[in-house]
Amino acid sequence: MAAGDRSIFKRFLAGLLTSTAVCLIAFAPPEVRAQDAPAAALQPSVPEDAKLLLAANELLYDRDNQRITARGAVQINYGGYRMVARQVIYDQKTGRMTALGNIEMVEPSGNRLYADKLDVTDDFANGFINAIRIETTDNTRMAAERGERVNGTDFILYKGVYTACEPCREHPERPPLWQIKAERVIENGTTHTVRLEHAKFELFGHSIATVPAIEVPDYTVKRKSGFLFPTMRTSDNLGFGLTIPYYYVLNNHMDATIKATGFTSQGVLLDGEFRRRFDNGEVTVRAAGIQQMNSDLFDAHTSDSSKDTRGMIASSGKFDINPRWSFGWDVMAQSDNNFARTYELDDYNQRTHVNQLYLTGLGDRNYFDLRGYYFDVQNADTNSELEKQQGVVLPSLDYQYYAPEPVAGGELTANFNLASVSRFDSDIYTVNGVDRYRGLKGNTTRATAEVEWKRSFITPGGLELTPMLAARGDAFSLNMDTPSGYTGDYYDGDAATRGLLTAGLEARYPILMTTANSSHVLEPIVQVYARNDEQHAGQLPNEDAQSLVFNATNLFDSNRFSGYDRVEGGTRANVGFRYTGSFDNGIGVRGIFGQSYQLAGLNSYATDDLVKVGSASGLEDDVSDFVGMAAIDLPNGVSVSNNFRLDKDTLDLRRTDSTLTFTNEDLQANLTYTRITAQPEYGFASDNDELQASGSYKLDESWSVFGAMTWDIDSAEISRHGVGISYADECAILSLVYNSERDDDNESASDWSIGARLTFRTLGDVKVGDANVKGYN
């Protein structure tokens, strides 16, 4: 073929590609906030040196009529674009290029276009295409009776249909689950908009909504002002709520979202959020408020019923100073202590919202974290003092360092912690006449520094020995109220110091046993830690070590206190074993069992402090309770595990967490039983037995039911339960849930709620309340 002819065919093919690209753009998903650009572009990206490959049964040159025709099984490959047709014609007199018969074009991205006829001028300004059908790589489908390109910039599709659903394989004649039909779809290349005229949304073949016109941005617009999908919700005290959100673009780096929610029982809630993006971070400011119409619908004497005008203001930010350092904040202030939770403001409706400022740094061998905290407790009790009793932490500093090179053949680490806690009111909790002082009014500051070295050796016989040395020092500044009524020993000075030196040795001897159809590893473990006594044991405030659960997971820890305010002292030995076994039939077994012994010195867990942290822990005697864990995994999907603590003298069960799970293709179920025996000095006046159950069952490929329940066995009451049903396929997700929760502390404005969520792939979703069952994961 002559060079001039090749040029003509290249121009012709470029015209076809341009028309195809415009078709794909015009049928972009109708979202108000345009997302990333689709694979096609208004002008196909073809390298200048791209070669044209043409195959056909016949290639005819009509020089008299200036027409070139490729006929019969025409195949064209150009710049990654591939097209087949029965016939391709270029008429140089009229300047029109035409493809006829079973046209199929494949883009480099994988998108496919099918048509019966395509006719376009050689300057690509005008043309038309008949019987268009487009399939994209993300399984969206578009079709139209015909398309027309006019004025060189606009493209019009007539009687267009868009869906993200695959056709039914057994009955392809059936309509898809959902589709959008429009009389005309107009893509304007000047304003970069797509207008859908007389658009109908169909569900299961039935029209459920008709809109005279929708105008949305085309793929070139990354962000555009406009209304977003509405959401809905309902609850017993707020009524039905409909949220209309509006997205507003200020410039390339600033935008805002304004939401108006009308509640049938309480009026209109206004909620606005402003966002500003910088080169190294972003900041948001949010405000919301309402003038309640019927505050008396809430329970009497609650914060929800005590005020008609309610609102909040909040801000968050995050900035990267450099690749290693970052800082940020998350703060909220509100008119009362339950507004954000009652009206379920996203990101601010937690039971306790943590306001914080932070600065963090992460290196190859060290870590730095500086923070300040204020805890906003959200509940409906107008007389609640919980927020005043929460400590304001400013600052909290953590620094960790790992030596880059071995020191004396071992690993050297260093930690530093600084915490300053202020409280506006003392936090005193009384159970059965026993007072626990969880926090005192005033300020306490503690600084802790510690270093640790350890190294492992393996003897020729397979015994692994790990010696360790550690040193720690603490300094306290104390400016708090004296705990009135406290009968224990309390240090009443303004400052205190303490130090701890530790020398330890751990010995492990793994034993491997094999049979014809199984293998087993039994690993006896012995640890001995020699330390001086904990100084001022139980005499100092305890802010961060109030939780203590002795079980198999921390049997071999050198210090079981959860924070820095308490530290394990004296000489102690931990003795036990680990076991793992596997069988050829797929059964797996694992377990841990052991005890801890106070060999010498003061037992820190037997020393009362302000919160009674060691009481009934199982460690308060010289010989601890037995702790263990046993689990078995079966190949049929059944798993059983049990974590337990047994009384050292009677072997009575003191605490257990037993879990039974089952998983297969259709059913997922989880059943957990928890038992904690009475610990009056620690806040539990009676035994606590609880059963939690959750599960889901697939009814078929698309439908499933799920739910969760918590049963308080001692009071014989269901404290929380929820159930839901969901539908999911390749183009839509539907969830409908019901939740109910017993609220004994007036922490929530609603005892029950109904939530739903309907999601259409590529379009967005419609929400009514919270569509998650509480307690179900």
Side-chain angles (χ1 to χ4, degrees):
M1 183 182 293
D5 296 330
R6 285 197 298 267
S7 175
I8 291 173
F9 267 90
K10 286 187 177 182
R11 291 175 57 199
F12 168 66
L13 186 58
L16 296 180
L17 300 182
T18 299
S19 300
T20 304
V22 174
C23 291
L24 294 172
I25 293 167
F27 265 113
E31 295 187 17
V32 173
R33 293 179 65 180
Q35 305 299 317
D36 292 340
L42 283 175
Q43 295 294 337
S45 176
V46 178
E48 292 184 0
D49 59 348
K51 295 182 179 180
L52 171 66
L53 300 178
L54 171 66
N57 293 339
E58 291 182 278
L59 186 61
L60 305 177
Y61 298 88
D62 187 345
R63 299 189 182 277
D64 295 334
N65 295 314
Q66 296 182 328
R67 178 181 296 177
I68 301 175
T69 303
R71 182 182 300 164
V74 180
Q75 300 180 40
I76 300 175
N77 192 323
Y78 179 48
Y81 291 83
R82 293 170 293 160
M83 190 187 79
V84 297
R86 287 207 306 263
Q87 184 170 280
V88 173
I89 304 170
Y90 175 54
D91 191 326
Q92 290 178 288
K93 287 183 177 181
T94 62
R96 302 195 71 87
M97 298 173 288
T98 307
L100 300 170
N102 297 329
I103 302 169
E104 179 179 351
M105 180 175 287
V106 181
E107 287 187 297
S109 64
N111 293 338
R112 293 176 179 269
L113 178 139
Y114 304 88
D116 287 341
K117 181 178 181 180
L118 191 150
D119 190 334
V120 65
T121 58
D122 59 4
D123 60 358
F124 320 136
N126 300 284
F128 65 87
I129 184 169
N130 287 346
I132 312 164
R133 183 164 57 91
I134 301 171
E135 296 178 0
T136 66
T137 54
D138 64 348
N139 286 329
T140 58
R141 289 163 171 78
M142 311 136 196
E145 288 186 0
R146 64 188 179 93
E148 182 180 6
R149 183 166 174 80
V150 297
N151 301 324
T153 58
D154 298 346
F155 195 84
I156 304 174
L157 294 174
Y158 298 92
K159 296 188 180 300
V161 179
Y162 170 83
T163 184
C165 302
E166 295 182 2
C168 178
R169 295 180 181 177
E170 291 78 11
H171 301 281
E173 73 281 0
R174 291 181 180 176
L177 175 65
W178 65 266
Q179 61 185 359
I180 296 176
K181 292 182 177 179
E183 289 295 323
R184 293 204 312 169
V185 181
I186 305 170
E187 197 275 334
N188 191 311
T190 303
T191 61
H192 298 286
T193 59
V194 177
R195 180 180 175 85
L196 293 86
E197 297 181 347
H198 302 289
K200 294 181 180 180
F201 186 88
E202 293 186 356
L203 193 63
F204 295 107
H206 300 283
S207 178
I208 63 172
T210 301
V211 181
I214 302 175
E215 188 168 279
V216 298
D218 69 15
Y219 84 105
T220 63
V221 180
K222 297 295 188 283
R223 298 151 67 239
K224 184 176 178 62
S225 300
F227 287 99
L228 306 178
F229 271 94
T231 61
M232 293 168 282
R233 51 181 154 154
T234 183
S235 65
D236 52 351
N237 295 323
L238 303 179
F240 175 78
L242 175 64
T243 301
I244 305 295
Y246 183 83
Y247 176 71
Y248 184 66
V249 177
L250 298 170
N251 53 42
N252 290 335
H253 49 268
M254 289 191 295
D255 58 21
T257 302
I258 301 172
K259 301 178 183 178
T261 303
F263 291 100
T264 56
S265 299
Q266 298 300 338
V268 178
L269 171 73
L270 295 179
D271 182 3
E273 184 177 73
F274 167 81
R275 294 170 291 271
R276 171 72 156 87
R277 182 176 292 276
F278 300 86
D279 291 338
N280 63 335
E282 60 183 355
V283 61
T284 65
V285 178
R286 184 173 178 184
I290 190 174
Q291 180 72 27
Q292 294 182 158
M293 297 189 309
N294 300 294
S295 299
D296 55 343
L297 291 180
F298 297 103
D299 293 340
H301 309 297
T302 64
S303 59
D304 296 301
S305 64
S306 61
K307 288 187 177 183
D308 294 333
T309 303
R310 308 176 69 186
M312 60 83 73
I313 185 169
S315 177
S316 63
K318 180 179 180 180
F319 291 88
D320 294 325
I321 302 173
N322 56 42
R324 296 181 180 270
W325 288 90
S326 63
F327 78 95
W329 67 88
D330 182 358
V331 295
M332 176 185 69
Q334 53 184 343
S335 58
D336 57 85
N337 60 341
N338 209 41
F339 169 71
R341 190 160 184 251
T342 297
Y343 286 92
E344 298 180 359
L345 301 182
D346 294 339
D347 301 325
Y348 296 96
N349 60 347
Q350 309 94 334
R351 181 165 296 183
T352 300
H353 179 73
V354 181
N355 298 274
Q356 60 176 311
L357 306 168
Y358 66 87
L359 171 67
T360 62
L362 179 64
D364 294 334
R365 305 289 294 180
N366 55 5
Y367 172 72
F368 176 93
D369 186 277
L370 177 65
R371 294 178 185 264
Y373 296 98
Y374 179 84
F375 299 94
D376 194 339
V377 180
Q378 301 195 71
N379 60 30
D381 185 0
T382 56
N383 298 318
S384 175
E385 297 292 326
L386 290 177
E387 192 164 317
K388 293 181 180 180
Q389 294 170 354
Q390 296 296 311
V392 179
V393 184
L394 187 66
S396 171
L397 171 62
D398 278 290
Y399 178 76
Q400 298 178 352
Y401 172 80
Y402 296 84
E405 301 293 339
V407 176
E411 181 183 62
L412 180 67
T413 61
N415 293 322
F416 177 79
N417 177 267
L418 173 67
S420 181
V421 181
S422 300
R423 190 172 275 102
F424 299 104
D425 199 359
S426 294
D427 183 6
I428 304 174
Y429 183 70
T430 302
V431 177
N432 289 346
V434 179
D435 294 332
R436 299 179 65 237
Y437 299 81
R438 295 185 293 192
L440 300 177
K441 182 179 180 180
N443 172 267
T444 177
T445 301
R446 174 194 41 76
T448 299
E450 59 182 341
V451 294
E452 180 183 279
W453 173 91
K454 62 181 178 181
R455 181 180 179 183
S456 294
F457 302 88
I458 299 178
T459 66
L463 177 66
E464 181 180 355
L465 299 175
T466 304
M468 64 88 67
L469 297 172
R472 167 173 166 164
D474 301 274
F476 291 83
S477 173
L478 307 171
N479 184 19
M480 300 167 300
D481 290 355
T482 300
S484 59
Y486 182 59
T487 58
D489 190 11
Y490 176 72
Y491 181 81
D492 201 19
D494 295 333
T497 59
R498 69 184 179 196
L500 191 73
L501 297 176
T502 303
L505 179 65
E506 177 185 84
R508 300 169 179 260
Y509 191 72
I511 302 171
L512 174 63
M513 298 169 286
T514 59
T515 66
N517 57 7
S518 65
S519 61
H520 311 265
V521 177
L522 181 66
E523 186 179 30
I525 303 173
V526 177
Q527 298 173 326
V528 178
Y529 296 103
R531 298 165 288 217
N532 56 295
D533 292 342
E534 179 189 9
Q535 298 168 343
H536 301 295
Q539 300 177 355
L540 300 172
N542 180 0
E543 293 282 355
D544 67 354
Q546 298 185 8
S547 174
L548 175 61
V549 177
F550 176 49
N551 56 29
T553 61
N554 58 17
L555 170 62
F556 299 110
D557 289 351
S558 62
N559 179 21
R560 298 176 183 86
F561 287 113
S562 58
Y564 289 94
D565 287 340
R566 292 297 306 270
V567 60
E568 184 178 295
T571 300
R572 179 173 286 273
N574 304 316
V575 179
F577 66 86
R578 285 196 179 99
Y579 164 78
T580 57
S582 60
F583 297 82
D584 292 347
N585 58 6
I587 296 177
V589 183
R590 59 191 187 278
I592 300 175
F593 189 78
Q595 243 181 335
S596 184
Y597 305 88
Q598 186 73 23
L599 302 180
L602 180 67
N603 184 351
S604 295
Y605 305 108
T607 306
D608 278 344
D609 65 5
L610 292 168
V611 293
K612 311 292 183 184
V613 69
S615 299
S617 64
L619 291 164
E620 66 274 17
D621 295 328
D622 288 345
V623 178
S624 78
D625 287 346
F626 294 100
V627 293
M629 183 277 294
I632 182 171
D633 302 312
L634 303 180
N636 61 0
V638 175
S639 295
V640 182
S641 65
N642 178 248
N643 206 320
F644 58 89
R645 196 183 97 215
L646 305 176
D647 186 277
K648 65 180 186 303
D649 299 319
T650 64
L651 298 183
D652 290 340
L653 186 64
R654 295 301 182 192
R655 184 183 182 113
T656 185
D657 294 286
S658 302
T659 301
L660 170 65
T661 62
F662 175 76
T663 302
N664 65 13
E665 293 182 356
D666 298 324
L667 176 64
Q668 292 183 350
N670 181 287
L671 184 66
T672 300
Y673 168 71
T674 302
R675 175 179 174 80
I676 304 175
T677 56
Q679 297 174 305
E681 292 186 352
Y682 201 51
F684 298 100
S686 60
D687 293 347
N688 187 357
D689 295 85
E690 187 176 82
L691 192 66
Q692 296 181 352
S694 65
S696 66
Y697 180 72
K698 290 185 63 175
L699 302 174
D700 56 28
E701 291 184 359
S702 300
W703 289 96
S704 63
V705 293
F706 54 95
M709 179 196 71
T710 300
W711 181 29
D712 187 338
I713 298 176
D714 300 306
S715 61
E717 292 184 5
I718 296 177
S719 58
R720 182 176 64 189
H721 66 280
V723 64
I725 185 169
S726 69
Y727 173 88
D729 62 16
E730 81 285 350
C731 65
I733 299 175
L734 168 66
S735 296
L736 179 65
V737 303
Y738 169 82
N739 281 299
S740 179
E741 184 173 8
R742 186 180 68 194
D743 185 11
D744 298 329
D745 301 319
N746 288 326
E747 293 183 342
S748 174
S750 303
D751 297 327
W752 62 267
S753 64
I754 295 175
R757 182 170 186 171
L758 180 58
T759 301
F760 301 108
R761 187 172 68 86
T762 73
L763 294 184
D765 56 10
V766 179
K767 294 187 292 183
V768 179
D770 185 0
N772 297 306
V773 170
K774 297 179 180 179
Y776 174 78
N777 296 321

